[in-house]
Amino acid sequence: MENTPNSLIEDRFLTEADMRDLSEVDEPTVLRNCDLHGLNLSQLEIPNWRFEKCNLAGTSFNGAMLEGAVFEGCRAVGASFVSAVLTEAEIASGDFCNTSFRGATLAAMKIAHCKMTGADFSEARASGMELEDILFVFALLPKMSFDKMTLKQIDFTEADLRSCDFRDVVFEDCLLRDANLSDCRFEHADLRGADLGGVTLTDAKRFKGAVISKHQAGDLLGQLGLLVR
């Protein structure tokens, strides 16, 4: 297929052949309202592309080179980015529930205002990420490093956060309710903006070195029948 002069393609159903032809063009392409659902785009090199309100449900980007790519308002339920390179990429809004980022490179990536329920980030290489307003309910995020980040409006309810690094992290309007926090590190973390529902007094040792509010301390001590005034 022929690319437009301004590298903008709108309202099209694209095939795998179309995408591979477009990837050979030297300049980035903008796909708007395009349907790519279920395509196998593994190993494709498409840095700095923009996907705007595209259907990416079930699409495979495994091993793809996606540095600087932007996904805005896309539906990507069940998509796969296994071992993809997403350095400095951005996901802005959209539905990425049950999407796999297993083993992906996510350095300096931005994710905001999107659903990632059940998403799998196991073995992902993440550093310097920016996260805001994300639904990580039931997500798999073991051993992720959030070191020194400010987390805003992140819902980790029942997420797998085993062995995560939350040192020096500031939580703002976040939920950690019933998350798996075994072997996490929270030294110097500010947990005053986090809902710790489901945490018992025996679990509190996991937060050693963190800052909590009087209200949170009262909830924990209340389990012993003590009142904080």
Side-chain angles (χ1 to χ4, degrees), residues 172-204:
E172 297 183 1
D173 195 19
C174 294
L175 294 173
L176 288 168
R177 185 173 292 273
D178 297 317
N180 185 343
L181 301 173
S182 60
D183 298 317
C184 288
R185 299 191 64 177
F186 285 95
E187 292 96 317
H188 307 295
D190 187 343
L191 286 159
R192 290 174 292 182
D195 183 337
L196 303 179
V199 174
T200 65
L201 190 62
T202 55
D203 293 328

Coordinates of all heavy atoms in Angstrom, one line a residue, residues 172-204:
E172 N 0.7 8.9 46.2 CA -0.4 9.9 46.2 C -1.7 9.3 45.7 O -1.8 8.9 44.6 CB 0.0 11.1 45.4 CG 1.3 11.8 45.9 CD 1.6 13.1 45.0 OE1 0.8 13.4 44.1 OE2 2.6 13.7 45.3
D173 N -2.6 9.2 46.6 CA -4.0 8.6 46.3 C -3.9 7.3 45.6 O -4.4 7.0 44.5 CB -4.7 9.6 45.4 CG -6.2 9.3 45.3 OD1 -6.7 8.6 46.1 OD2 -6.8 9.8 44.3
C174 N -3.1 6.4 46.3 CA -2.9 5.0 45.7 C -3.6 4.0 46.6 O -3.9 4.2 47.7 CB -1.4 4.7 45.6 SG -0.5 5.7 44.5
L175 N -3.8 2.8 46.0 CA -4.4 1.7 46.7 C -3.5 0.5 46.7 O -3.0 0.1 45.6 CB -5.7 1.2 46.0 CG -6.9 2.2 46.0 CD1 -8.0 1.7 45.1 CD2 -7.4 2.5 47.4
L176 N -3.2 0.0 47.8 CA -2.4 -1.3 48.0 C -3.2 -2.4 48.6 O -2.7 -3.3 49.2 CB -1.2 -1.0 48.8 CG 0.0 -0.2 48.2 CD1 1.0 0.3 49.2 CD2 0.6 -0.9 47.1
R177 N -4.5 -2.2 48.5 CA -5.5 -3.1 49.2 C -5.3 -4.6 48.8 O -5.4 -4.9 47.6 CB -6.9 -2.7 49.0 CG -7.9 -3.4 49.8 CD -9.3 -2.8 49.6 NE -9.4 -1.5 50.3 CZ -9.7 -1.3 51.6 NH1 -10.0 -2.4 52.3 NH2 -9.7 -0.1 52.1
D178 N -5.0 -5.4 49.7 CA -4.9 -6.9 49.5 C -3.8 -7.2 48.4 O -3.9 -8.3 47.8 CB -6.2 -7.5 49.1 CG -7.2 -7.3 50.2 OD1 -6.9 -7.6 51.4 OD2 -8.4 -7.0 49.9
A179 N -2.8 -6.4 48.2 CA -1.8 -6.7 47.3 C -0.8 -7.6 47.9 O -0.6 -7.7 49.1 CB -1.0 -5.4 46.8
N180 N -0.1 -8.4 47.1 CA 1.0 -9.3 47.6 C 2.2 -8.5 47.8 O 2.9 -8.2 46.8 CB 1.2 -10.5 46.7 CG 2.2 -11.5 47.2 OD1 2.9 -11.2 48.1 ND2 2.2 -12.7 46.6
L181 N 2.6 -8.2 49.0 CA 3.7 -7.3 49.3 C 4.9 -8.0 49.9 O 5.8 -7.4 50.5 CB 3.3 -6.2 50.2 CG 2.2 -5.3 49.7 CD1 1.7 -4.3 50.8 CD2 2.6 -4.5 48.4
S182 N 4.9 -9.3 49.8 CA 6.0 -10.1 50.4 C 7.4 -9.7 49.8 O 7.5 -9.6 48.6 CB 5.8 -11.6 50.2 OG 5.7 -12.0 48.9
D183 N 8.3 -9.5 50.7 CA 9.7 -9.2 50.4 C 9.9 -7.9 49.7 O 10.9 -7.7 49.0 CB 10.3 -10.4 49.5 CG 10.4 -11.7 50.2 OD1 10.7 -11.7 51.4 OD2 10.0 -12.7 49.6
C184 N 8.9 -7.0 49.8 CA 9.1 -5.7 49.2 C 10.0 -4.8 50.1 O 10.1 -5.0 51.3 CB 7.7 -5.0 49.1 SG 6.7 -5.6 47.7
R185 N 10.5 -3.8 49.6 CA 11.4 -2.8 50.3 C 10.7 -1.5 50.3 O 10.3 -0.9 49.3 CB 12.8 -2.7 49.8 CG 13.5 -4.1 49.8 CD 15.0 -3.9 49.5 NE 15.7 -3.1 50.5 CZ 17.0 -2.8 50.5 NH1 17.7 -3.3 49.5 NH2 17.5 -2.1 51.4
F186 N 10.5 -0.9 51.5 CA 9.8 0.4 51.7 C 10.6 1.4 52.4 O 10.0 2.4 52.9 CB 8.5 0.2 52.4 CG 7.4 -0.5 51.5 CD1 7.2 -1.8 51.6 CD2 6.6 0.3 50.7 CE1 6.2 -2.4 50.8 CE2 5.6 -0.3 49.9 CZ 5.4 -1.7 50.0
E187 N 11.9 1.3 52.6 CA 12.7 2.2 53.3 C 12.5 3.6 52.8 O 12.7 3.9 51.6 CB 14.2 1.8 53.3 CG 14.5 0.6 54.0 CD 14.6 -0.6 53.1 OE1 13.7 -0.8 52.2 OE2 15.6 -1.4 53.2
H188 N 12.1 4.5 53.7 CA 12.0 6.0 53.5 C 10.8 6.3 52.5 O 10.7 7.4 52.0 CB 13.3 6.6 52.9 CG 14.4 6.3 53.8 ND1 14.6 6.9 55.0 CD2 15.6 5.6 53.6 CE1 15.7 6.4 55.6 NE2 16.3 5.7 54.7
A189 N 10.0 5.3 52.2 CA 8.8 5.5 51.4 C 7.7 6.3 52.2 O 7.6 6.2 53.4 CB 8.2 4.2 50.9
D190 N 7.0 7.2 51.5 CA 5.9 7.9 52.1 C 4.6 7.3 51.8 O 4.1 7.4 50.7 CB 5.9 9.4 51.6 CG 5.0 10.3 52.4 OD1 4.0 9.7 53.0 OD2 5.1 11.5 52.3
L191 N 4.0 6.5 52.7 CA 2.8 5.8 52.5 C 1.6 6.5 53.0 O 0.5 5.9 53.0 CB 2.9 4.4 53.2 CG 3.9 3.4 52.6 CD1 4.3 2.3 53.6 CD2 3.2 2.7 51.4
R192 N 1.7 7.7 53.3 CA 0.5 8.5 53.9 C -0.6 8.6 52.9 O -1.7 8.8 53.2 CB 1.0 9.8 54.4 CG 1.8 9.7 55.7 CD 2.3 11.0 56.2 NE 3.3 11.5 55.2 CZ 4.0 12.7 55.4 NH1 3.7 13.4 56.5 NH2 4.9 13.1 54.5
G193 N -0.2 8.6 51.6 CA -1.3 8.7 50.5 C -1.7 7.4 49.9 O -2.2 7.3 48.8
A194 N -1.5 6.3 50.7 CA -1.8 4.9 50.2 C -2.9 4.3 51.1 O -2.9 4.4 52.3 CB -0.6 4.1 50.2
D195 N -3.9 3.6 50.5 CA -4.8 2.8 51.2 C -4.2 1.5 51.4 O -3.9 0.7 50.5 CB -6.1 2.7 50.3 CG -7.2 1.9 51.0 OD1 -6.9 1.1 52.0 OD2 -8.4 2.1 50.7
L196 N -4.0 1.1 52.7 CA -3.3 -0.1 53.1 C -4.3 -1.1 53.6 O -4.0 -2.0 54.3 CB -2.3 0.2 54.2 CG -1.2 1.2 53.9 CD1 -0.3 1.4 55.1 CD2 -0.4 0.8 52.7
G197 N -5.6 -1.0 53.1 CA -6.6 -2.0 53.5 C -6.2 -3.4 53.3 O -5.6 -3.8 52.3
G198 N -6.5 -4.2 54.3 CA -6.1 -5.7 54.2 C -4.8 -6.0 54.9 O -4.4 -7.1 55.1
V199 N -4.0 -4.9 55.2 CA -2.7 -5.1 55.9 C -3.0 -5.4 57.4 O -3.7 -4.6 58.0 CB -1.8 -3.9 55.7 CG1 -0.5 -4.1 56.5 CG2 -1.4 -3.7 54.2
T200 N -2.4 -6.4 57.9 CA -2.6 -6.7 59.3 C -1.3 -6.3 60.1 O -0.3 -5.9 59.5 CB -2.7 -8.2 59.5 OG1 -1.5 -8.9 59.2 CG2 -3.9 -8.8 58.7
L201 N -1.5 -6.2 61.4 CA -0.3 -5.8 62.2 C 0.9 -6.7 62.0 O 2.0 -6.2 62.0 CB -0.8 -5.8 63.7 CG 0.2 -5.1 64.7 CD1 0.4 -3.7 64.3 CD2 -0.3 -5.3 66.1
T202 N 0.7 -8.0 61.8 CA 1.8 -8.9 61.6 C 2.5 -8.6 60.3 O 3.6 -8.9 60.1 CB 1.3 -10.3 61.6 OG1 0.3 -10.5 60.7 CG2 0.8 -10.7 63.0
D203 N 1.7 -8.0 59.3 CA 2.3 -7.7 58.0 C 3.0 -6.3 58.0 O 3.8 -6.0 57.1 CB 1.2 -7.6 56.9 CG 0.6 -8.9 56.6 OD1 1.3 -9.9 56.7 OD2 -0.6 -8.9 56.3
A204 N 2.8 -5.5 59.1 CA 3.3 -4.2 59.1 C 4.8 -4.1 59.1 O 5.4 -3.1 58.6 CB 2.8 -3.4 60.4

